[in-house]
Amino acid sequence: MTAPPDDCLARNEWICGEYLSTRREILVDAVLQHLELTALSVLIALAIALPLAVLARRWGLAAGPVLAVTTVLYTIPSLAMFSLLLPVYGLSETLVIAGLVLYSLTLLVRNILAGLRSVPEDTRQAARGMGYGPIRMLLTVELPLALPAAMAGLRIATVSAVSLATVGAIVGFGGLGNLIYSGMNTYFKAQVLTASALCVVIAVLADLLLLGVQRLLTPWTRAARG
């Protein structure tokens, strides 16, 4: 008995509107988990990367070890990374987040440090002449001027996290990666394509959102281009 001509699920087509309507809750849950994994990992990585970059900028001897360690972490394959973290976190969502945090550190530390190093020395000298202490100078002079480079790193780290989060499917916490993985195992075309397309959409929207935030926080860059 052949499938009805309008039953794209039965025909296992790549593009199928019926899949979207019948699996809406599954897709929403997967998207929410994917967003949670990405947002938490990037925020935690940013909270760690900022002090590391400031430390590397303040004390030049610390820059080499900080960059070396974060670079080595980035070179570890994702499956190996999760395997190394498995004894610590077990099969949990925390395992995936920890892995994504470690991968994000390299991109964030390097870009924040590059932004801090790009602040002109005469600007620092002027701030010191006005009585700015180290903390006030960091918060009101150095970090604002380092924002373009720092935001560029944040955008790359976020898009990378969206992609790498799918690997979490191997431990059952991969957001849309769970659907991609199960769809590939069963050759469920509509599920694989839909979940993959949603990953791309999330990455593009996240990048555009951060680009908008960057433009709002750095109005002087728009004036310079104008």
Side-chain angles (χ1 to χ4, degrees):
M1 183 176 180
T2 59
D6 59 342
D7 192 348
C8 57
L9 281 177
R11 294 196 304 272
N12 194 26
E13 295 181 352
W14 286 103
I15 301 176
C16 181
E18 187 69 17
Y19 174 81
L20 295 175
S21 60
T22 57
R23 270 72 170 186
R24 185 176 304 162
E25 288 189 12
I26 296 176
L27 288 171
V28 170
D29 289 342
V31 168
L32 291 177
Q33 185 182 72
H34 210 99
L35 292 174
E36 179 185 7
L37 291 170
T38 302
L40 285 177
S41 61
V42 172
L43 288 175
I44 294 172
L46 183 60
I48 298 173
L50 182 57
L52 286 177
V54 172
L55 175 68
R57 177 68 184 89
R58 287 282 188 267
W59 293 279
L61 292 177
V66 167
L67 293 175
V69 170
T70 55
T71 300
V72 168
L73 290 173
Y74 195 76
T75 61
I76 300 175
S78 55
L79 292 179
M81 177 71 81
F82 289 151
S83 298
L84 292 172
L85 295 173
L86 187 59
V88 179
Y89 298 105
L91 295 174
S92 64
E93 188 176 38
T94 306
L95 168 67
V96 181
I97 293 174
L100 295 179
V101 167
L102 295 178
Y103 278 122
S104 300
L105 283 179
T106 300
L107 300 169
L108 292 172
V109 170
R110 284 186 175 276
N111 280 271
I112 295 173
L113 180 57
L116 292 173
R117 285 174 170 173
S118 68
V119 178
E121 187 58 33
D122 56 353
T123 301
R124 291 192 176 92
Q125 293 293 343
R128 291 190 188 99
M130 296 173 63
Y132 281 42
I135 301 299
R136 185 182 179 191
M137 184 188 302
L138 174 67
L139 296 177
T140 63
V141 177
E142 293 178 314
L143 285 180
L145 292 178
L147 265 178
M151 288 299 297
L154 182 60
R155 289 169 58 194
I156 298 172
T158 301
V159 172
S160 297
V162 172
S163 173
L164 288 171
T166 58
V167 183
I170 62 173
V171 295
F173 296 93
L176 290 165
N178 293 341
L179 299 182
I180 296 173
Y181 184 72
S182 63
M184 291 179 66
N185 284 338
T186 58
Y187 200 57
F188 193 172
K189 295 179 181 179
Q191 180 163 295
V192 172
L193 181 61
T194 302
S196 300
L198 286 173
C199 283
V200 174
V201 170
I202 290 174
V204 171
L205 290 179
D207 187 58
L208 291 175
L209 176 62
L210 290 174
L211 178 60
V213 172
Q214 177 181 339
R215 289 175 63 86
L216 288 175
L217 294 177
T218 58
W220 61 88
T221 59
R222 299 198 302 272
R225 286 195 297 267

